[in-house]
Amino acid sequence: MKYISKLIVVIAISLLGQYAVAQPPAREREKAKKEQKRATAAIVNMSERAKNQFPTLVVPQEVVWKRDIYRSLDLKKEKNASLYYPVEPMGQSVNLFTYIFRLILEGSVNAYTYNLDGYESFTEENKIAPKDLLDNYRIYYEEKDGEYVVGKSDIPSSEVLSYYIKESYYYDQRTATYNQRVTAICPVLHRAEEFTTEVTKYPMFWLNYDEIAQILAQQPIVTSSYNNVSTMTIDDYFTKNCYDGEIYKTVNLRNLALNQYCKDTTAIKKEQENIEKQLTTFRSNLWETPKPVVAADSTIAANDSIAAPVKEEKKRFTLFGGNKKEDTKKEKAKKSSPKRSAGTARLSVRRTRR
């Protein structure tokens, strides 16, 4: 009996020791989770004054010229890699999709339906519930206390290999400025279905850039492989147009994408170059001034200015029918004859008849 009681005491002490050892990591995880929520809440629940002071460039409702362009950002390109890495969170460093995905699950950021025509609509009826987003794309999650919990490895950030973005180019007549800014973002899932190796693209949802600009301004990213210091935020990255994207659609009267009215890839490439040229030409012609005519050689210009009176003199002889030789003799005779003073009297001689 004594042996059994001692054994029970030993087992109880060992269990208490294990609990004591396991408790600190659990507390640390819980503490880290609470700090992350607090930081997110501080970003999202900004005061109205802070939101108004945030330097977001908003496209005016009334402008004299505007062009809306849709681009596709391939994250395999070097200039776009900052939005993809790290694929899984490394401390405070996360990629764009992981950062946005967490905020959507918490209800801090709104996701909007990607319609079949590819255009965005930021209305209340187009909002996507977090649970519908998880179910539609078969993302594993657990529901705890009314919250959706997705593990690091279950977030499909590795499959988001491209983004669709919408840009607005416009001329603001009130400030006489030409501006360009991103107005919407859509992550695109690249997923191979079962029993096939063919990869299918799934545009997931639209994000209103005006709603998330102040949140993106809180997340730093690394933009260089040679300098691993975070020199800008995600908002800086989009505001400064550091990305490299190909045009796949524009807002046009027929509501067609490039691949719908271009015959092949060569025609699409030519149309992309044509649109880029139109944007560049419009901007360069806004404040164009006449260029002064400069002579190819300064000595030629100098000689022309000296020879101008001579040419004018020759022209005078031709116009008035003068004889160049006779006029030259008269000029010489005038120079050789003595000059009379203004006060000298003229003498006249009369002949008398005899």
Side-chain angles (χ1 to χ4, degrees):
M1 190 70 181
K2 291 182 179 179
Y3 178 76
I4 294 173
S5 61
K6 287 181 179 179
L7 182 61
I8 293 172
V9 171
V10 170
I11 292 173
I13 292 172
S14 63
L15 289 174
L16 288 172
Q18 291 178 2
Y19 178 77
V21 171
Q23 192 69 8
R27 287 178 180 174
E28 289 179 2
R29 286 195 297 270
E30 190 66 25
K31 184 179 179 181
K33 188 176 180 180
K34 287 182 179 179
E35 288 180 354
Q36 183 179 356
K37 284 186 177 180
R38 193 181 301 113
T40 304
I43 294 171
V44 176
N45 299 325
M46 296 173 68
S47 64
E48 289 299 323
R49 182 180 178 183
K51 288 181 180 180
N52 293 333
Q53 291 179 346
F54 186 79
T56 304
L57 184 65
V58 180
V59 180
Q61 294 295 326
E62 296 181 359
V63 291
V64 294
W65 183 88
K66 187 177 77 165
R67 188 85 184 270
D68 291 329
I69 304 292
Y70 291 84
R71 295 182 185 271
S72 177
L73 274 58
D74 184 1
L75 299 189
K76 294 179 182 179
K77 292 184 177 181
E78 182 69 22
K79 292 189 70 174
N80 303 327
S82 301
L83 302 177
Y84 185 70
Y85 295 100
V87 180
E88 290 191 4
M90 297 175 60
Q92 298 297 323
S93 181
V94 295
N95 64 10
L96 174 60
F97 182 78
T98 302
Y99 184 61
I100 291 297
F101 185 76
R102 287 175 174 175
L103 294 174
I104 291 174
L105 293 184
E106 295 173 6
S108 304
V109 169
N110 296 322
Y112 298 89
T113 305
Y114 182 91
N115 299 316
L116 293 177
D117 58 1
Y119 291 105
E120 71 289 345
S121 178
F122 303 127
T123 57
E124 190 69 27
E125 56 270 17
N126 283 319
K127 287 183 179 180
I128 304 175
K131 188 177 185 305
D132 294 337
L133 180 64
L134 295 170
D135 293 336
N136 292 340
Y137 296 101
R138 304 191 299 276
I139 302 172
Y140 178 77
Y141 66 93
E142 294 180 0
E143 190 172 356
K144 294 181 179 179
D145 301 328
E147 296 181 356
Y148 303 103
V149 180
V150 180
K152 291 182 180 179
S153 58
D154 295 320
I155 299 176
S157 60
S158 61
E159 296 179 293
V160 178
L161 297 175
S162 63
Y163 283 91
Y164 292 155
I165 65 170
K166 179 185 178 182
E167 297 174 325
S168 285
Y169 298 76
Y170 63 95
Y171 175 72
D172 189 354
Q173 70 274 17
R174 297 174 302 173
T175 58
T177 56
Y178 177 87
N179 298 301
Q180 169 191 354
R181 70 179 303 269
V182 176
T183 58
I185 302 175
C186 173
V188 182
L189 198 69
H190 294 230
R191 179 173 286 177
E193 299 297 336
E194 295 180 359
F195 310 110
T196 181
T197 58
E198 185 178 354
V199 176
T200 307
K201 295 182 180 181
Y202 297 96
M204 299 181 71
F205 50 82
W206 280 110
L207 297 166
N208 187 349
Y209 195 87
D210 292 338
E211 295 179 358
I212 63 173
Q214 66 270 22
I215 298 175
L216 298 183
Q218 306 298 322
Q219 182 61 33
I221 57 172
V222 177
T223 57
S224 173
S225 299
Y226 304 100
N227 182 8
N228 301 139
V229 178
S230 300
T231 56
M232 66 173 62
T233 64
I234 299 178
D235 178 59
D236 295 331
Y237 179 86
F238 283 110
T239 303
K240 296 179 180 179
N241 309 117
C242 299
Y243 50 84
D244 180 14
E246 293 184 349
I247 299 173
Y248 72 91
K249 185 173 61 173
T250 65
V251 175
N252 52 72
L253 299 177
R254 294 186 295 168
N255 193 22
L256 297 176
L258 267 63
N259 58 2
Q260 292 178 304
Y261 65 89
C262 294
K263 296 180 180 179
D264 49 24
T265 54
T266 304
I268 291 175
K269 187 68 176 178
K270 188 176 181 180
E271 180 66 10
Q272 289 172 341
E273 294 175 354
N274 186 35
I275 295 171
E276 297 281 9
K277 187 177 180 181
Q278 289 173 1
L279 295 173
T280 305
T281 303
F282 179 84
R283 183 174 186 176
S284 61
N285 290 340
L286 278 176
W287 301 281
E288 186 177 8
T289 55
K291 296 181 180 179
V293 179
V294 181
D297 191 351
S298 57
T299 57
I300 295 174
N303 292 335
D304 287 344
S305 61
I306 295 170
V310 178
K311 292 179 180 178
E312 193 66 28
E313 185 69 19
K314 291 180 179 179
K315 187 177 180 181
R316 185 176 65 81
F317 281 116
T318 306
L319 289 174
F320 295 99
N323 190 337
K324 183 177 178 183
K325 292 182 179 180
E326 291 181 358
D327 290 344
T328 305
K329 290 179 181 180
K330 290 178 181 179
E331 291 293 330
K332 288 182 178 180
K334 287 181 180 179
K335 290 181 180 179
S336 60
S337 61
K339 295 181 179 179
R340 298 188 181 95
S341 60
T344 306
R346 298 186 70 178
L347 299 176
S348 61
V349 179
R350 285 186 178 182
R351 281 190 175 190
T352 59
R353 281 188 178 181
R354 293 181 181 179

